Amino acid sequence: MRSSMGRRGQCWDNALAESFFAALKNELVYRTSFPTQQHARRAIAEYIEVFYNRIRIHSALGYKTPAETAQEHRQTSTKAA
């Protein structure tokens, strides 16, 4: 039997995606009853764009939001160019 996972940091390592979907399910999906599929889509889009990217801090990003990290990266990239 061979393991299906690659070494850490390789593109086929899906730990990051699994972590995101676990957070999405635990923080939104399992706590909400959606009357329609459209309501679910809107709520998930809002969770990702507003809460997950702009409000929720991430320990892997130095306790910053993804939006803050992206902004810092853009500023650093602009200064280096």
Side-chain angles (χ1 to χ4, degrees):
M1 186 181 304
R2 288 183 11 194
S3 174
S4 65
M5 296 295 290
R7 291 185 303 270
R8 182 177 175 202
Q10 291 184 340
C11 62
W12 50 84
D13 181 359
N14 63 355
L16 182 61
E18 289 178 11
S19 176
F20 167 76
F21 284 110
L24 172 65
K25 290 175 186 178
N26 288 321
E27 295 175 359
L28 176 70
V29 175
Y30 296 151
R31 296 176 183 208
T32 309
S33 177
F34 301 106
T36 66
Q37 187 175 15
Q38 187 61 31
H39 282 89
R41 287 181 184 195
R42 285 189 191 136
I44 290 169
E46 182 176 337
Y47 170 86
I48 294 168
E49 289 299 323
V50 176
F51 179 71
Y52 193 85
N53 286 338
R54 299 179 190 167
I55 298 171
R56 187 180 189 271
I57 59 172
H58 299 260
S59 61
L61 300 175
Y63 296 96
K64 297 176 187 172
T65 68
E68 290 171 332
T69 304
Q71 180 65 28
E72 288 176 5
H73 177 72
R74 282 191 294 273
Q75 289 174 347
T76 304
S77 296
T78 303
K79 290 177 185 178

